[in-house]
Amino acid sequence: MPLDSSIPSHLRCPRTRTRRVSDSWNPPVPMYSARGEESVQNLVMAYLGVQSKGDEMKGRACAAFQNILQSFKQPDGPGRHDLVQFVDAEGYLNLIAVAYWIDPTTYDKWNESPAISHWWASEDRLKEGVGYFREVLRPRMEQFETIFTHEHGPLEGVSILLGGMSEPIIEHGYWGSMRDRLPLSQTDTLDPSGTLTLKEGTPALGGRVIVGGHQNVALIRSGEDWSLTEGEERRTWFEDIEPVLHEGMNYLRDDGLESGCYCNRYLHHMDENGNLLEKGFGYSLWRSITNLEQWAESHHTHLQIFVTFNRLAKKFKNLTLYHEVSVFDAANQYYEYINCHPKTGLLRAV
Amino acid sequence: MPLDSSIPSHLRCPRTRTRRVSDSWNPPVPMYSARGEESVQNLVMAYLGVQSKGDEMKGRACAAFQNILQSFKQPDGPGRHDLVQFVDAEGYLNLIAVAYWIDPTTYDKWNESPAISHWWASEDRLKEGVGYFREVLRPRMEQFETIFTHEHGPLEGVSILLGGMSEPIIEHGYWGSMRDRLPLSQTDTLDPSGTLTLKEGTPALGGRVIVGGHQNVALIRSGEDWSLTEGEERRTWFEDIEPVLHEGMNYLRDDGLESGCYCNRYLHHMDENGNLLEKGFGYSLWRSITNLEQWAESHHTHLQIFVTFNRLAKKFKNLTLYHEVSVFDAANQYYEYINCHPKTGLLRAV
């Protein structure tokens, strides 16, 4: 059977830029992309976080986080959310609800409703001893791509809302395939322009800080689910792969700016009670997809991950991998930090 | 100053295929391409070899090799030649004269002159107890590219005949830049078609064997000169880089077929008396440039070389590196083996 394109048929258009590989490209293993309805034109990805330090603040952090989860039950709330957490390099616990909408009008109604907008705008948020942040990103479908290792494996993230899966795709198994999966790459170089700007506040002083994005900031959510692994495969994940992945994530977290990575979080899924699940993902924001490509293709911290994955790929049966990548128009990014430490999210990069 | 293109101005043409990177690409370090006169339209690269096994055959091999060197002094001989050697996986010593012409008419005159053509065609060549081979490749300039680390460093190989060097080029520092440096890639995918064919003889029986090439076979000559290195840089070359390079060369030599590498030789330069010089190159023939790209970009044996080079690149001052890459029309390849063992050159792949 001929290979499918990762680009959905309704988003294919006359190219002004060629795909890197020719039509005869034959990927070594099959991979898949999530597929949505043609009616879906924009996505909303809201990373809503609570930040705290020390065991004595954990109760307050959890209460704050529960408020965010409750807010999802308001009318027009997200179609889907994931709960994740991580401890950052400064030792802060960050609890994050990742909420997805496949209709920005619904998101806008939710976000602009008094229950939501007043809560986030309230001065009370500045007095609770915890930090809050919102990173809200709205790619057009032309600016969004996914890849999954398993045809019938679990969809993840916003792809669960999209609901479908492609046939095996041609655009994978070579550097540059991530870009080639983005429909907009058919006609656009996806070059960045502008810079991050401080719209309000001063990171070093805490309080409320709003950061403005720039054209073609890129986001990757790159995840793995090891919950179904057993025996040798499970041992391989814990002993051979995860440590190398962890090291790459730490590089991006600590020194990513030199590679054009604005921030990186290596996140662990949890349930509503805070129990860790056996899956996770790296979340990172980049100056451009070119910077992301360059790190992935040439930096030893990623090549180490790549070689390790490749070497062991034959052993994988139940370990499932996926990623979702987006680029954003400048106007489709909103970054707000409330009483967060100055290395949080984009604060370290602005 | 804006970056130069590796593609000489007279070979630039309206593109039907885009370069992988946009005009804003900024390579991390400067690199250069050799430049010839516009009048040069085709190159001829002749790898003329003598194969022998055991010390007792060395005298005959050297005599045979001297015959080849003498033949260069005939009218219309090569403008330039390199002498190299290596011991192959079967333990045979291979002495190779790499001869270059920048005018195929001159080569044809030389090659078809009785002194040359009769000597190669003679039955005597079958009775001397040594093997001979000729691998003669004729790229059009649209099918040829080079890269050099040093602006004023030594030109090498056929580039010495071209004589000039570009300004710093844009097409390097990313996977796919090799292809982007080939002028033909502006309009062509460089996909292979056809297969190697046995035109005459039987490899297992020895004697005279002629192999036919196919469309878009690719050749890389990738070299290094460590003669000017000193101290720490020299130690780095011998202890950290060369062993990793050697391992990659051995992989291609022994198992390259699975990656689309028809043959690989890790060659050491020598002078006319057989004394080794402090430079060498890998020579390999590939089913296609896509196969070469795929090995370089994803196989651990090359990524190991790549990461090692990158990690240590800052230390390099006097170690010079270069490569020349060509793809060939089916008709512009000639492979002849006389009494060579069946793993020689393309014999193992046909």
Side-chain angles (χ1 to χ4, degrees), chain B residues 35-50:
Chain B
R35 283 270 195 265
E37 298 294 326
E38 191 169 337
S39 58
V40 177
Q41 296 189 316
N42 287 71
L43 304 174
V44 181
M45 310 165 162
Y47 287 77
L48 307 177
V50 174

Side-chain angles (χ1 to χ4, degrees), chain A residues 18-20 22 175 191 297, chain B residues 18 20 22 175 191 297:
Chain A
T18 35
R19 196 170 56 199
R20 189 177 166 210
S22 75
W175 300 118
D191 281 350
E297 299 178 17
Chain B
T18 36
R20 189 177 167 212
S22 74
W175 301 117
D191 281 351
E297 298 177 17

Side-chain angles (χ1 to χ4, degrees), chain A residues 77-347:
Chain A
R80 158 89 200 160
H81 67 265
D82 291 314
L83 306 183
V84 292
Q85 65 156 71
F86 82 114
V87 175
D88 64 29
E90 281 67 37
Y92 287 77
L93 174 68
N94 293 263
L95 306 171
I96 304 178
V98 189
Y100 292 111
W101 288 257
I102 54 173
D103 175 4
T105 317
T106 311
Y107 167 76
D108 285 337
K109 276 194 217 161
W110 177 80
N111 190 50
E112 289 157 19
S113 69
I116 305 304
S117 63
H118 292 179
W119 188 83
W120 281 96
S122 169
E123 287 296 301
D124 294 345
R125 300 292 83 70
L126 294 160
K127 302 170 191 159
E128 294 171 339
V130 299
Y132 289 97
F133 59 85
R134 291 197 275 183
E135 295 169 354
V136 184
L137 302 146
R138 305 162 69 133
R140 294 178 274 126
M141 287 307 280
E142 293 89 335
Q143 298 169 314
F144 174 77
E145 66 89 6
T146 62
I147 187 163
F148 288 82
T149 52
H150 281 52
E151 181 179 6
H152 303 295
L155 285 162
E156 276 289 353
V158 70
S159 296
I160 293 176
L161 293 182
L162 297 177
M165 198 74 102
S166 72
E167 298 298 318
I169 58 171
I170 188 168
E171 301 95 344
H172 81 90
Y174 61 92
W175 300 118
S177 58
M178 171 173 71
R179 177 187 294 266
D180 286 348
R181 289 189 295 271
L182 287 167
L184 196 54
S185 73
Q186 297 171 102
T187 56
D188 195 304
T189 61
L190 309 175
D191 281 350
S193 59
T195 54
L196 298 179
T197 52
L198 207 50
K199 298 265 196 189
E200 186 184 321
T202 307
L205 299 182
R208 196 180 293 267
V209 182
I210 296 176
V211 175
H214 61 73
Q215 190 65 20
N216 286 331
V217 164
L219 175 157
I220 181 167
R221 168 180 168 161
S222 180
E224 47 281 328
D225 182 334
W226 61 95
S227 62
L228 300 175
T229 60
E230 292 176 343
E232 174 66 4
E233 185 176 11
R234 191 169 179 83
R235 194 201 59 71
T236 298
W237 164 255
F238 280 110
E239 292 178 22
D240 299 331
I241 301 177
E242 201 283 334
V244 175
L245 176 60
H246 210 136
E247 205 174 312
M249 294 290 103
N250 284 352
Y251 164 77
L252 288 181
R253 181 193 68 187
D254 298 333
D255 300 307
L257 280 175
E258 68 187 17
S259 296
C261 178
Y262 289 147
C263 80
N264 186 68
R265 304 183 180 119
Y266 184 36
L267 299 156
H268 211 114
H269 286 258
M270 61 181 178
D271 66 17
E272 300 232 343
N273 300 314
N275 302 307
L276 293 182
L277 307 177
E278 295 206 298
K279 55 184 186 173
F281 63 87
Y283 162 95
S284 53
L285 288 164
W286 296 76
R287 169 146 181 82
S288 71
I289 194 166
T290 308
N291 288 109
L292 171 52
E293 287 175 326
Q294 190 63 6
W295 173 71
E297 299 178 17
S298 70
H299 201 274
H300 64 94
T301 55
H302 185 267
L303 289 180
Q304 208 57 51
I305 298 170
F306 176 79
V307 166
T308 306
F309 267 94
N310 267 15
R311 187 164 52 83
L312 301 170
K314 284 175 222 125
K315 293 191 184 180
F316 299 159
K317 226 178 57 191
N318 293 314
L319 179 68
T320 61
L321 307 169
Y322 72 96
H323 84 208
E324 61 181 51
V325 167
S326 313
V327 296
F328 308 104
D329 297 326
N332 290 336
Q333 304 163 54
Y334 182 79
Y335 307 105
E336 179 178 357
Y337 304 87
I338 304 170
N339 276 350
C340 290
H341 70 73
K343 295 209 166 171
T344 306
L346 294 193
L347 296 184

